[in-house]
Amino acid sequence: MPEITRFYGIIITLVFREHNPPHFHAEYGEYQASFEIKTLKMIGSFPTTAKNLVRKWAKPHQAALLEMWNNKKPVKLPPLA
């Protein structure tokens, strides 16, 4: 799973051999969740603060994440500052 970025203990990855809809994975300690790229809808279990941080990070990077999903080429993205 290529790591796209990490911030505040959250690791963001993409798995290119997975099912639709396009999504990315987030890990935070023992928590794991998937987020749909287009809607940022979460599937899984994540603390509320961490979930909000992931969505805050993902919002400006949705186009880049979707492009990575479609091209199957990972690119490092900047962390949430």
Side-chain angles (χ1 to χ4, degrees):
M1 264 194 286
E3 182 178 308
I4 304 305
T5 194
R6 65 173 59 211
F7 51 88
Y8 303 115
I10 300 167
I11 301 169
I12 306 294
T13 58
L14 274 172
V15 179
F16 297 113
R17 295 182 187 166
E18 286 208 348
H19 55 85
N20 280 317
H23 63 281
F24 62 90
H25 296 266
E27 294 181 31
Y28 180 66
E30 72 266 13
Y31 299 97
Q32 297 181 0
S34 298
F35 291 80
E36 290 184 25
I37 294 172
K38 290 181 181 179
T39 64
L40 299 181
K41 177 183 172 186
M42 185 187 80
I43 300 167
S45 175
F46 233 52
T48 300
T49 300
K51 175 179 67 175
N52 292 338
L53 289 171
V54 170
R55 286 181 172 151
K56 182 177 180 180
W57 170 83
K59 188 71 174 164
H61 298 293
Q62 284 174 292
L65 289 164
L66 192 56
E67 184 176 333
M68 280 187 256
W69 178 273
N70 291 331
N71 295 333
K72 310 222 181 314
K73 294 181 182 178
V75 176
K76 290 280 190 181
L77 294 175
L80 185 65

